[in-house]
Amino acid sequence: MPRRSAPPPVPDRAAAHPPGPQPSTPEPSPRASEVPRQPDRRRRPSRPARPAHPPGATRRGVRVVARGARDEPRVLGLAVAVSAVYGAGTAAAGWLLGRTTDEVLAPLFAGDPGVDRGDVLLAGLALAGVAVVTAVAVALRRMVAGRVFANLQARYRRRLAHQYLRLPIAWHHRHPAGQLLANASSDVEASFTIFNPLPMALGVVVMAVVAAVAMVAADPVLALVGLLSLPAMVVANIAYQRAMSPRVVRAQALRGEVSAMAHESFDGAVVVKTLGREGAETRRFGAAADRLRAANVDVGRTRGAFDPAVEALPSLASLAVLAVGAVRAASGDVGVGDVFTVVYLLTVLASPVRAFGWVLAELPRAAVGFGRVRTVLDARGRTTWGESPLPRGGLSLQMRGVELAHARGADEDLDAGEVAGTARGAGAPEPADAPAADGVPALRGVDLDVPAGSTTALVGPTGSGKSTLASLAVRLLDPDSGVVRLGGVDARELREGSLPAEVALVPQGTFVFDDTVRGNITLGAEVDEQRLRDALETSQAAEFVDALPEGLETRVGERGTSLSGGQRQRLALARALVRDPRLLVLDDATSAVDPAVEAEILSALRRPPAPGAPRPTVLLVAYRRATIALADRVAWMEHGRVVDEGTHEELLERRPAYRHLVTAYEEAALAADAPSGAPPGPGAVAPAASTSGGRR
């Protein structure tokens, strides 16, 4: 069966919820958007880090550098330019020291009358000038290189945030939130950390050229002795890079794993604590942290083994130059200043040349980090829109032949996309989501009519497809086949942005921001005070909001921890109502509210928002008999199909399964009160107001 299309893009926070489209997960997961999905420990243990470095990682790292250079050409160009000034200045300082030694200091110490204080002062000023220019270039190089790094991080984090909001809900279900946080933090950082040493490494090219010319000019023999160390340093750096790359890549993968695991455990703290799993979660996280520690220790151990060798090479080269230079100076072939020039230049070249080693070591890490970032950026699934506006007046909802299957499978590994990208070549887009050949059917041939201005209740057992159908009604999902019409217009032909202005979803899992009551209702939009007050009154939230310490300006805490479940639900309802939706979809959105308050809310929803305005169309997923009885019509669902429609009384009469579901709590209460061995008679029911809300 083909997979469903992507849900609509959500450009910003105000659009992410106004009409409240919180992702409603496939049934049967109650509160799925409030408590994050926990992994099946039996199915999937902690994923081991991918082995190290995929083929061509260094080559792909070079492509990451090229991409960063295209994104920030001016700032990177400035960083390279000042680094070149630093390189040239450092090499020039060595040459100038040699000349000063031979032409000023040595004659001065020998008592040469031709050298006076003016010569010493001039030489000192020249050296000071070079030192100042070099110091300024070093400072600018570091600041500008840091600017390149920061700019690229900010650019790609913005792109990732936009992409996360744009991608289909189904895509998010396959990628844990912790993994996505790691993409936006450690993976972006790993991608562009290479731009810190890169300008210095490029400036070293200029330094090496100027230094080589200066050494040859001083003495070709000494220059040859000294420059022989450069190939050895390059070989050592390459060996260092080859040894470090797999270790750095493994540590990077483990950082993502630890981040995902931490987010999952902390966000699911209620589940962990209520089930007494603190010790197990601590051990699970501790094992992942130990693997990361071991990987970082391995990186440090490797660096510790190579650093002395790399540091020793320039010193050995300097000793060789001093030995040869002493012999040549004693024979008069070279001056002391020439020896000093070559030794000094070899010394100052040592540290900058190591920048090449840093760059080489960072290339595979940049390739892996950016590969994971690119997998997200290249993911497809954007919802297509047409140009049709929603018709004016009352808004009807119609479904014909609607079929939809949920994708089956475990969380996707973003590294897999990165490796696949290697095979396709750089820049090749990721393939679109493959059809869910083994998908789980959720809806099968659904036909449904919700007349404009009516209230229709969706009722059915767990897993019958009610929440999925509610998501289709607001185009959070698109059907695999069939059509969803709003006001007689195919939802796929509607103009982009038309639905959030007219259609609202209040999901079963209520999400409340760590913001004020006002901020949670308006989500940053300009809302008239009277409209805000009307929404609070209709959702029966005005009384408890007025009782809060600062009223509308009271902060409610993370996920609304200072509020009860029923209060959070009423705030979410007010959030939807303040936008005067013409179609309101309530997915078990009043389950935490007591029946009397729920009845008042639903009665208020049946009234027009203003004199002469059409009544809103209401589609509600419900279990309580009292709630269902307030609906004009009831749609009974079984196994992903709407198998019957009618009034509450009609379905009680002709659908035994419906009758059993809506009276189950009442029958259980009667059975508990009946004498032992005397079950209640068939069809016996208690007053509807005494029932408690059902849960899926």
Side-chain angles (χ1 to χ4, degrees):
M1 181 179 291
R3 286 175 63 111
R4 59 188 179 281
S5 302
V10 184
D12 54 34
R13 173 171 157 176
H17 293 275
Q22 289 295 325
S24 177
T25 58
E27 292 185 31
S29 304
R31 308 282 181 211
S33 61
E34 189 169 13
V35 177
R37 170 165 62 86
Q38 297 297 316
D40 184 346
R41 304 282 188 256
R42 296 166 298 176
R43 172 180 64 81
R44 177 173 63 90
S46 280
R47 180 187 297 127
R50 294 185 65 82
H53 92 75
T58 301
R59 184 173 62 254
R60 286 180 293 109
V62 172
R63 294 195 182 108
V64 174
V65 171
R67 184 160 186 164
R70 289 197 302 270
D71 287 335
E72 293 289 334
R74 293 182 180 179
V75 184
L76 181 61
L78 177 60
V80 172
V82 296
S83 184
V85 171
Y86 152 74
T90 302
W95 175 84
L96 189 58
L97 278 172
R99 300 283 67 75
T100 301
T101 300
D102 277 345
E103 297 174 12
V104 178
L105 297 180
L108 182 65
F109 293 150
D112 187 343
V115 178
D116 57 19
R117 284 181 154 184
D119 296 326
V120 175
L121 179 61
L122 186 61
L125 289 175
L127 287 170
V130 172
V132 168
V133 170
T134 303
V136 170
V138 169
L140 285 176
R141 186 202 74 221
R142 290 179 178 175
M143 288 188 292
V144 179
R147 181 71 175 269
V148 175
F149 177 51
N151 286 357
L152 287 170
Q153 284 190 99
R155 179 191 299 269
Y156 280 89
R157 282 175 178 151
R158 285 194 298 267
R159 289 181 182 177
L160 282 173
H162 175 73
Q163 182 75 334
Y164 287 157
L165 293 172
R166 188 187 67 80
L167 283 167
I169 296 301
W171 187 90
H172 284 275
H173 290 168
R174 299 195 304 273
H175 298 85
Q179 185 185 71
L180 302 184
L181 286 174
N183 294 150
S185 56
S186 60
D187 286 334
V188 170
E189 182 177 348
S191 300
F192 301 111
T193 298
I194 193 171
F195 284 89
N196 280 323
L198 182 65
M200 182 177 180
L202 296 176
V204 166
V205 175
V206 177
M207 179 189 294
V209 170
V210 175
V213 171
M215 284 190 283
V216 170
D219 184 65
V221 175
L222 293 180
L224 179 62
V225 172
L227 292 175
L228 284 176
S229 67
L230 291 181
M233 292 174 68
V234 170
V235 170
N237 277 316
I238 291 175
Y240 173 71
Q241 178 262 332
R242 289 184 178 277
M244 283 291 287
S245 292
R247 292 167 172 81
V248 169
V249 170
R250 174 176 168 77
Q252 180 65 22
L254 285 170
R255 285 189 188 95
E257 180 184 327
V258 168
S259 175
M261 196 175 296
H263 182 276
E264 181 180 71
S265 295
F266 301 157
D267 224 23
V270 172
V271 176
V272 172
K273 286 182 174 294
T274 54
L275 296 180
R277 302 299 296 166
E278 294 96 327
E281 284 299 301
T282 300
R283 288 191 296 273
R284 190 171 74 97
F285 183 79
D290 284 343
R291 288 193 294 273
L292 177 57
R293 178 192 60 80
N296 285 331
V297 168
D298 194 22
V299 169
R301 186 185 300 117
T302 305
R303 180 176 287 122
F306 273 91
D307 276 354
V310 175
E311 292 287 350
L313 284 173
S315 300
L316 293 174
S318 298
L319 288 174
V321 168
L322 283 174
V324 175
V327 173
R328 290 179 63 75
S331 64
D333 293 331
V334 296
V336 174
D338 294 329
V339 177
F340 185 81
T341 296
V342 176
V343 171
Y344 174 83
L345 289 175
L346 281 176
T347 303
V348 298
L349 272 177
S351 178
V353 166
R354 290 209 56 201
F356 281 111
W358 302 338
V359 169
L360 291 173
E362 287 291 339
L363 283 174
R365 183 167 175 245
V368 172
F370 191 74
R372 289 163 60 89
V373 169
R374 194 188 65 188
T375 300
V376 177
L377 294 178
D378 290 346
R380 297 182 184 177
R382 180 163 185 147
T383 302
T384 58
W385 296 88
E387 296 297 330
S388 300
L390 276 170
R392 297 182 179 276
L395 193 60
S396 63
L397 170 66
Q398 187 181 69
M399 296 186 183
R400 289 290 180 268
V402 167
E403 307 226 355
L404 188 142
H406 292 307
R408 188 200 304 270
D411 302 329
E412 291 181 356
D413 184 357
L414 293 182
D415 284 333
E418 186 268 330
V419 175
T422 306
R424 288 192 309 275
E430 294 296 314
D433 289 339
D438 61 343
V440 181
L443 298 176
R444 302 177 176 89
V446 170
D447 292 328
L448 177 67
D449 286 288
V450 181
S454 68
T455 299
T456 299
L458 283 177
V459 185
T462 297
S464 57
K466 301 179 297 299
S467 290
T468 303
L469 192 149
S471 297
L472 285 169
V474 297
R475 213 186 170 199
L476 199 59
L477 302 173
D478 275 340
D480 295 332
S481 61
V483 63
V484 177
R485 294 190 180 93
L486 294 167
V489 180
D490 187 336
R492 287 168 290 204
E493 298 300 324
L494 290 172
R495 181 181 301 146
E496 185 172 5
S498 59
L499 282 182
E502 307 288 351
V503 177
L505 167 70
V506 184
Q508 57 181 332
T510 305
F511 186 87
V512 179
F513 292 100
D514 183 9
D515 199 349
T516 62
V517 172
R518 181 189 298 276
N520 269 287
I521 295 174
T522 64
L523 296 177
E526 292 293 331
V527 176
D528 178 77
E529 286 294 323
Q530 187 58 49
R531 278 176 60 196
L532 182 58
R533 192 70 194 178
D534 290 344
L536 290 171
E537 295 284 354
T538 302
S539 63
Q540 301 297 305
E543 183 177 350
F544 86 78
V545 169
D546 290 341
L548 292 173
E550 298 178 55
L552 284 168
E553 308 309 322
T554 303
R555 295 194 73 89
V556 297
E558 185 178 2
R559 294 181 179 269
T561 52
S562 64
L563 304 177
S564 70
Q567 289 171 334
R568 289 196 294 270
Q569 283 194 335
R570 280 178 276 174
L571 276 191
L573 184 57
R575 177 192 296 163
L577 293 176
V578 80
R579 290 158 176 82
D580 293 330
R582 289 192 284 153
L583 172 62
L584 179 63
V585 181
L586 306 178
D587 184 8
D588 202 15
T590 54
S591 59
V593 177
D594 66 73
V597 174
E598 182 184 44
E600 292 176 7
I601 292 172
L602 295 177
S603 296
L605 291 176
R606 294 168 66 89
R607 296 191 295 268
R615 281 174 48 187
T617 305
V618 179
L619 177 67
L620 59 93
V621 176
Y623 285 94
R624 290 174 176 166
R625 182 174 180 175
T627 306
I628 298 167
L630 292 171
D632 301 315
R633 292 184 64 77
V634 179
W636 172 246
M637 295 191 69
E638 289 181 359
H639 307 297
R641 294 185 176 89
V642 175
V643 296
D644 203 352
E645 292 184 64
T647 64
H648 172 60
E649 291 75 15
E650 290 170 349
L651 292 183
L652 278 176
E653 180 69 26
R654 65 176 180 249
R655 284 285 172 183
Y658 174 82
R659 182 170 59 251
H660 173 72
L661 181 69
V662 299
T663 62
Y665 287 95
E666 301 159 357
E667 292 173 355
L670 288 176
D673 292 338
S676 177
V685 294
S690 68
T691 65
S692 60
R695 295 289 192 276
R696 273 171 283 188

